Amino acid sequence: VKTPWWRTHFDDRYFELHYPLFTEARSRAETAGIRELLGLHCDARILDAPCGWGRHTVLLAEAGLDAFGADLSVDLLRHAPRTVPGYATPATADNDTDDRPHRPHYTAADIRALPFANASFDAVINVFTSLGLFLNDDDDIAALREARRVLRPHGALLLESMHRDDIAAHYAEYDRWTLPDGTRVRVKRRFDPITGTSHEHLHWRRGNEHGQLQHTLRLRTATEIDTLLRTAGFGRIDYYGSWHGHPFRHDHHSLIAIAR
Ligand SMILES: C[S@@+](CC[C@H](N)C(=O)[O-])C[C@H]1O[C@@H](n2cnc3c(N)ncnc32)[C@H](O)[C@@H]1O
């Protein structure tokens, strides 16, 4: 059986190549939008899954929420900040057993089988196109059902993702950029309109070092995302096209669903 790409793709190399693209200002603006759109009370319990290197989890904890992050990649979790700026003292910085509020908690877990009790969170977030990795509806629905299972009855899932209408209109078959350390990155993409998948081949070079990363992502229309959310049992769903809460339009770059 072939190992699915998402099991091995998100390693230290992925971190090196992607971390510089996400400024703190960007993660702060997204986190402000997450809090605003979810309308969270200040000590709410929130799960960021998948959390990657915890760029939102730590800021949610900083805002006073009881913030948990779950991700399959142990490599990425190793880069996640354990402390909140201005809160921890160096003496407590490496103490993962310290469970005072305002410290983010991290767990290595598959989003289809979360190690949390039923009805234990006020909110779950799935941010930055993290649905669609599995390339089949059943696994994506399983992940959404799992989010619903851990939500309290009044709770909400925030799902943020690219969507097919926008991607198809502006599909970039070639892309290139240079990272602050001089690493040059070139990307080649191919979109399969039948399966709705985007295949990306990334090549990086830094001095004499070079390498490649490849991945495939299922990109759904808003209509398909809505069907998936309803199949997973969500009933009331509001759609936004920005972190400022603009109502969703087909030409917005990201789709944000608040599903209850
Ligand atoms: C596009 S990243 C987004 C991470 C984070 N939400 C952010 O905005 O930075 C997708 C994440 O999904 C994680 N992932 C992939 N497959 C997973 C699975 N089956 N269960 C849990 N996490 C998974 C990866 O390790 C990666 O961190």
Side-chain angles (χ1 to χ4, degrees):
V1 181
K2 210 175 150 223
T3 306
W5 71 271
W6 42 267
R7 277 202 188 280
T8 51
H9 182 76
F10 298 97
D11 59 5
D12 285 326
R13 181 72 66 196
Y14 173 92
F15 178 76
E16 263 176 43
L17 293 170
H18 292 83
Y19 178 77
L21 304 177
F22 296 86
T23 62
E24 183 180 333
R26 171 181 175 168
S27 298
R28 282 194 181 280
E30 291 170 355
T31 304
I34 290 166
R35 292 174 54 210
E36 187 70 22
L37 292 177
L38 282 167
L40 294 171
H41 54 89
C42 58
D43 57 351
R45 199 160 185 262
I46 186 166
L47 173 65
D48 180 6
C51 65
W53 61 85
R55 64 192 184 96
H56 300 110
T57 326
V58 67
L59 295 175
L60 291 163
E62 186 192 66
L65 303 180
D66 196 8
F68 290 71
D71 200 283
L72 194 67
S73 167
V74 176
D75 285 348
L76 293 191
L77 285 174
R78 221 179 286 124
H79 295 283
R82 260 52 190 178
T83 59
V84 162
Y87 174 74
T89 61
T92 63
D94 289 319
N95 180 0
D96 245 355
T97 61
D98 182 350
D99 62 358
R100 291 179 298 175
H102 308 287
R103 280 174 69 93
H105 313 263
Y106 298 103
T107 311
D110 192 303
I111 52 172
R112 296 166 299 175
L114 295 170
F116 299 106
N118 293 352
S120 52
F121 288 94
D122 301 297
V124 176
I125 63 169
N126 177 313
V127 179
F128 200 61
T129 316
S130 301
L131 198 73
L133 309 175
F134 297 120
L135 309 179
N136 73 72
D137 285 355
D138 289 348
D139 284 321
D140 278 336
I141 291 167
L144 293 174
R145 284 213 170 103
E146 218 20 24
R148 179 168 168 262
R149 179 185 68 76
V150 301
L151 278 173
R152 292 176 175 149
H154 64 269
L157 165 71
L158 182 150
L159 176 80
E160 186 265 339
S161 176
M162 296 188 275
H163 63 101
R164 182 171 166 171
D165 290 340
D166 174 64
I167 294 289
H170 306 107
Y171 198 69
E173 291 194 342
Y174 299 96
D175 229 342
R176 60 172 65 210
W177 60 85
T178 304
L179 297 177
D181 69 355
T183 304
R184 280 180 293 142
V185 178
R186 277 184 294 128
V187 169
K188 216 158 84 180
R189 299 191 188 93
R190 185 175 58 79
F191 186 66
D192 180 331
I194 306 300
T195 58
T197 50
S198 178
H199 304 269
E200 180 172 307
H201 189 130
L202 179 154
H203 186 265
W204 63 270
R205 177 176 290 280
R206 181 173 46 224
N208 293 329
E209 271 189 295
H210 62 98
Q212 305 182 17
L213 287 183
Q214 290 188 51
H215 78 264
T216 303
L217 197 60
R218 170 79 191 275
L219 291 165
R220 295 188 175 87
T221 60
T223 315
E224 291 170 320
I225 291 171
D226 188 68
T227 301
L228 233 54
L229 284 167
R230 290 182 197 281
T231 305
F234 290 96
R236 215 183 88 211
I237 312 173
D238 296 312
Y239 289 97
Y240 302 94
S242 80
W243 293 113
H244 299 291
H246 294 105
F248 178 70
R249 290 169 41 113
H250 69 279
D251 53 355
H252 277 131
H253 292 323
S254 69
L255 169 150
I256 303 171
I258 305 283
R260 296 178 197 277

